[in-house]
Amino acid sequence: DQTPFIKCLYCGLVAHSACYPPLSNVDAKGNFLCDPCTASFFPSVNKTARTRNKENGNIPPPKPLAADIEAKSDGRVHKGPGIYCQLCARSDVMGGMKPTDSNAWVHIACLMATEYASFEDKTAINVKTALRKNRTEIVKCHKLGIEPKCEDCGGQSGMLLKCRHKGCQLYMHALCAEILDRLRVHENNGVRDIVSYKCTLHSYGGVDACGICNLSNKQHEMLECDKCSQGYHMACLTPPLTEIPEGDWFCAKCTNGAVEGNQTCTPQGTSLAAEDIQAPANDNENDKGNAVPQQSHE
């Protein structure tokens, strides 16, 4: 069943009321103040959270994210002191922030990725237990000479999730994986679904991987050919593109006169009629077995 959407008047968070049980009143239009914004508007509440953060041994305030990270959200962040997620060390509005039983904060999206923490009476409980369990796994990696960090933001704080692809040693934060639409893996522990993820290299394949470098990272910098749907990093093209071209865009394989191995693009702003572009005869055969992986619910 669909539940009503609610929207925070201050930060713009939009969520189902069942997914984000509001602490404040919701008006007839579905407007309300989310929990972090409520704390920001009431200094006494925010001061308590900030003070107890230190006393309860929660993770320290995160450092500013680097400008060149891949996991960039829409720019909306909670700016109140002490308002950041204990599991991803980020302050993004995206992911829906809720208070914890140690007077800290956690994203609902991050909470879904651990079996050790849950919600009770609109509050996240046992978050520190989840962090402690995760830290035990990270220490084991250190003993093996592996230094886990989030592949998408470079952070080493919070809860780092290992890629679910067998043998992969890459890690990520749950919210970073959500921002970049990584492949989800759902497992039910008998109580609820626990969400884990696959890294950028194992989340995409086929036409969703770059047709030149064969990597599937930086999806936000990928162009899709309007003929064959193959993706290409703008930086991998010859010459590289820094802006998305206007109109239709066609890769070298679909452009008349393209030379194999010499990847070029149609000039920026040039539109070609799709019926004038001939796709390679064997493309369909070569693409068999390279279908984009579907989300697993096993």
Side-chain angles (χ1 to χ4, degrees), residues 82-126:
I83 300 180
Y84 56 91
C85 177
Q86 291 291 300
L87 296 182
C88 71
R90 297 182 61 144
S91 300
D92 300 73
V93 169
M94 183 183 295
M97 201 94 75
K98 278 287 186 178
T100 76
D101 55 355
S102 60
N103 286 306
W105 299 90
V106 67
H107 285 114
I108 294 177
C110 295
L111 199 68
M112 292 173 62
T114 176
E115 63 180 310
Y116 300 108
S118 59
F119 270 118
E120 184 176 285
D121 193 26
K122 301 181 181 180
T123 300
I125 62 174
N126 300 325

Side-chain angles (χ1 to χ4, degrees), residues 195-269:
V195 182
S196 54
Y197 303 87
K198 291 191 176 183
C199 69
T200 181
L201 296 177
H202 298 116
S203 286
Y204 308 100
V207 295
D208 288 324
C210 176
I212 299 175
C213 70
N214 295 320
L215 297 179
S216 51
N217 64 334
K218 299 184 179 179
Q219 289 282 316
H220 61 293
E221 297 179 6
M222 199 88 78
L223 283 178
E224 181 180 295
C225 174
D226 286 298
K227 176 66 177 180
C228 67
S229 297
Q230 174 65 55
Y232 293 89
H233 288 124
M234 293 192 292
C236 291
L237 297 169
T238 304
L241 292 180
T242 57
E243 296 181 358
I244 297 175
E246 296 180 4
D248 292 338
W249 179 86
F250 301 95
C251 69
K253 289 184 178 180
C254 294
T255 302
N256 288 334
V259 179
E260 185 67 21
N262 180 22
Q263 297 291 345
T264 60
C265 61
T266 59
Q268 184 170 343

Side-chain angles (χ1 to χ4, degrees), residues 138-192:
I138 299 303
V139 169
K140 291 179 181 178
C141 292
H142 291 164
K143 292 179 178 178
L144 296 174
I146 301 171
E147 293 291 333
K149 65 179 180 179
C150 177
E151 67 156 348
D152 301 318
C153 77
Q156 294 180 295
S157 185
M159 182 177 70
L160 291 169
L161 307 174
K162 188 177 182 180
C163 172
R164 287 301 308 273
H165 187 82
K166 186 176 180 180
C168 184
Q169 296 296 324
L170 294 178
Y171 288 77
M172 68 211 79
H173 291 123
L175 185 65
C176 294
E178 282 291 330
I179 289 173
L180 293 171
D181 197 26
R182 297 288 184 250
L183 183 69
R184 286 183 173 189
V185 179
H186 294 258
E187 292 179 302
N188 192 287
N189 66 352
V191 179
R192 62 181 176 89

